[in-house]
Amino acid sequence: QRFRTASLYKLFVLATAESAIERGGLDPQEVLTVSASDVAADPFADMQVGTRISVDCALQTMVEMSGNSAADLLEERLGLVAINDQIRALGLRQSSLSAETAATTPRDIAQLLGSIGRGEAVSAAASQRMVELLSGQEQNDRLPQPLPLNVRVAHKTGELPGLRHDVGIIF
């Protein structure tokens, strides 16, 4: 069954960015700038107008702290068409991202995380970078909480009113 992703859509943005980096179409050191329209368009914006952030730092902020402005900047830079093309390239049949909403299924998320964990999402190097970012998730009150401290969890949380998600790879 399809559900609203909340911040889980950032996994799609992450995979698309890593694919663009691998192809040479996106430089991790490229600087992105928060505009007034970025802030006005997102009620959950968490950066001020004029904030400058590198692609690399935006990826880290988007994943580890679930930064909405960083995700907005990356989504704008990559484009919805490229993100949805990457979703399809990853074989995710029930997931989509639009300006209004994002939806997915447990199967698609499991497939995406499985390919990342096996080193098959984009490339082995890109998959490893994604695992490292997901391992730095700062919101650890869900999947990791009941596990022993020495268990590595690479995960992404999502939250909206009435929704609380956490998906991940447990090593």
Side-chain angles (χ1 to χ4, degrees):
Q1 183 174 353
R2 283 173 54 102
F3 62 89
R4 290 177 60 201
T5 64
S7 286
L8 299 187
Y9 83 90
K10 294 169 184 171
L11 292 168
F12 307 141
V13 176
L14 173 63
T16 305
E18 288 294 345
S19 178
I21 289 168
E22 285 286 305
R23 289 190 327 272
L26 183 64
D27 179 355
Q29 300 311 309
E30 179 181 335
V31 175
L32 308 172
T33 305
V34 178
S35 69
S37 60
D38 292 328
V39 172
D42 186 351
F44 301 105
D46 50 9
M47 290 183 190
Q48 295 181 343
V49 173
T51 300
R52 297 169 46 86
I53 187 171
S54 69
V55 165
D56 206 25
C57 189
L59 287 168
Q60 183 176 3
T61 301
M62 176 183 74
V63 175
E64 294 180 5
M65 295 174 273
S66 205
N68 292 315
S69 294
D72 293 341
L73 290 170
L74 290 163
E75 181 182 317
E76 183 179 315
R77 171 62 175 82
L78 296 164
L80 287 173
V81 170
I83 295 167
N84 282 294
D85 286 350
Q86 184 65 39
I87 288 169
R88 298 292 161 256
L90 291 164
L92 310 179
R93 301 185 195 284
Q94 298 297 317
S95 299
S96 62
L97 180 62
S98 72
E100 295 80 36
T101 191
T104 192
T105 63
R107 178 178 292 159
D108 275 5
I109 292 295
Q111 182 174 329
L112 175 57
L113 291 173
S115 66
I116 292 170
R118 290 187 304 274
E120 299 168 353
V122 179
S123 70
S127 292
Q128 184 58 42
R129 289 191 302 269
M130 288 186 264
V131 166
E132 291 301 319
L133 287 171
L134 293 166
S135 294
Q137 170 63 242
E138 292 184 0
Q139 184 75 33
N140 291 310
D141 65 343
R142 298 168 208 173
L143 283 179
Q145 199 267 334
L147 300 172
L149 292 176
N150 64 340
V151 174
R152 183 177 182 197
V153 181
H155 65 117
K156 179 70 192 89
T157 60
E159 203 166 311
L160 283 173
L163 296 174
R164 269 176 74 91
H165 304 308
D166 197 356
V167 300
I169 305 163
I170 299 173
F171 296 90

